């Protein structure tokens, strides 16, 4: 058995010698170094991409905030404008109602004045008719005419 072990040892040494001669450990080390460098580069690229993504995220968040502020400003301006329009419409409505009320009061006052003039005119006409009838029955001739003229002048004077 010692012989087989000895030859196995010799075969192992020869195998290791061939492996070293064709530079397998160097090739493996180079491959591992290349693989490590590739991983390092990928990690660096991933870090850069992450930083760029964070910068883009910050930029978009800033733009979103600006857009929200602008929208809020637009809404506030629209509210102020609506309030101004409402106040202006209320003021115009109040002015219109005031003008219409004044016109109605003026028409009522004119109608009252016209009614009073008409009543006075009717009263004068009735008084003249009554005076003419009474005087006609009691006074005749020139005295009736003078009395009628005097009464008429007196009524005209009182009316003015």
């Amino acid at each position: 058995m010692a012989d087989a072990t000895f030859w196995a040892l010799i075969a192992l040494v020869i195998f290791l010698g061939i492996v070293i001669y064709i530079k397998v450990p160097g090739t493996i080390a180079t491959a591992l170094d290349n693989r490590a460098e590739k991983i390092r580069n990928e990690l660096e690229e991933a870090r850069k991409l992450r930083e760029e993504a964070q910068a883009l995220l910050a930029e978009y968040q800033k733009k979103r905030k600006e857009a929200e502020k602008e929208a809020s400003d637009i809404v506030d301006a629209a509210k102020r404008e609506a309030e101004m329009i409402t106040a202006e419409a209320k003021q115009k409505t109040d002015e219109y109602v005031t003008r219409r009320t004044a016109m109605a009061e003026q028409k009522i006052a004119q109608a009252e004045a016209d009614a009073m003039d008409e009543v006075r005119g009717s009263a004068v006409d009735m008084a003249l008719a009554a005076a003419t009838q009474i005087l006609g029955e009691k006074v005749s001739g020139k005295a009736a005419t003078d009395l009628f003229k005097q009464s008429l002048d007196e009524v005209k004077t009182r009316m003015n």
Side-chain angles (χ1 to χ4, degrees), residues 25-86:
T27 306
I28 292 174
T30 304
L32 289 174
D33 288 344
N34 288 342
R35 176 84 174 145
E37 184 65 29
K38 183 179 177 185
I39 291 172
R40 216 176 289 120
N41 289 338
E42 288 176 356
L43 286 173
E44 182 65 26
E45 185 177 336
R47 186 188 58 79
K48 287 180 184 178
L49 288 174
R50 182 174 164 256
E51 289 174 359
E52 288 176 13
Q54 286 178 336
L56 281 174
L57 176 64
E59 182 180 338
Y60 284 124
Q61 286 176 341
K62 180 181 174 187
K63 285 182 181 180
R64 181 187 53 100
K65 286 180 184 177
E66 289 173 357
E68 286 175 354
K69 183 181 183 320
E70 185 177 337
S72 174
D73 291 346
I74 290 171
V75 168
D76 291 343
K79 283 181 183 177
R80 284 191 304 272
E81 188 174 337
E83 288 171 358
M84 286 184 350
I85 289 171
T86 302

Side-chain angles (χ1 to χ4, degrees), residues 103-113:
M103 286 175 52
E105 288 173 354
Q106 203 173 33
K107 285 181 180 181
I108 290 170
Q110 182 64 40
E112 285 176 352

Side-chain angles (χ1 to χ4, degrees), residues 5-18:
T5 310
F6 175 75
W7 288 111
L9 178 64
I10 297 287
L12 180 62
V13 171
I14 292 173
F15 174 74
L16 290 176
I18 292 172

Side-chain angles (χ1 to χ4, degrees), residues 6 11 15 22 37 42 45 53 57 72 79 88 91 95 104 113 119 123 130-131 135 144 146 153 156:
F6 175 75
F15 174 74
I22 59 172
E37 184 65 29
E42 288 176 356
E45 185 177 336
L57 176 64
S72 174
K79 283 181 183 177
E88 185 177 323
Q91 178 186 2
E95 289 173 0
V119 168
L135 287 177
D146 288 341
D153 289 339
K156 285 182 184 177

